[in-house]
Amino acid sequence: MGDNGQGYMSDVYAAVQMAENMNVDYILMAVSIMDCGKYDLFKSLIENTNSTIVASAGNNGTDACYYIPAGLNGVITVG
């Protein structure tokens, strides 16, 4: 992600895949991506990883269940 908080979903996916390939125990994801229904491959990667995912709930005051990775099964979401 850039210093403006924006970036490419492909970079986020690649980072998680790299961590998975390295067999890390934990992945911290301080990102909040609106779940607009077009990130099924990314969601599958997160839900099937062997790592524990810890994600931020976001800063906009809305329910974290509408965002990924925070709203995915098995993710530890921190507010």
Side-chain angles (χ1 to χ4, degrees), residues 4-41:
N4 63 355
Q6 296 184 11
Y8 296 101
M9 193 63 189
S10 59
D11 291 337
V12 176
Y13 183 94
V16 173
Q17 185 64 59
M18 178 186 215
E20 179 73 7
N21 292 343
M22 295 174 64
N23 295 314
V24 301
D25 293 324
Y26 298 94
I27 301 172
L28 172 60
M29 300 192 69
V31 297
S32 186
I33 304 161
M34 177 64 97
D35 188 359
C36 59
K38 62 181 181 178
Y39 300 121
D40 290 340
L41 188 61

Side-chain angles (χ1 to χ4, degrees), residues 12-79:
V12 176
Y13 183 94
V16 173
Q17 185 64 59
M18 178 186 215
E20 179 73 7
N21 292 343
M22 295 174 64
N23 295 314
V24 301
D25 293 324
Y26 298 94
I27 301 172
L28 172 60
M29 300 192 69
V31 297
S32 186
I33 304 161
M34 177 64 97
D35 188 359
C36 59
K38 62 181 181 178
Y39 300 121
D40 290 340
L41 188 61
F42 178 71
K43 290 163 61 171
S44 178
L45 174 65
I46 295 295
E47 290 177 337
N48 293 300
T49 186
N50 293 317
S51 304
T52 299
I53 305 287
V54 180
S56 60
N59 294 324
N60 55 12
T62 59
D63 193 328
C65 75
Y66 300 114
Y67 293 85
I68 53 176
L72 299 178
N73 292 330
V75 173
I76 299 171
T77 303
V78 180

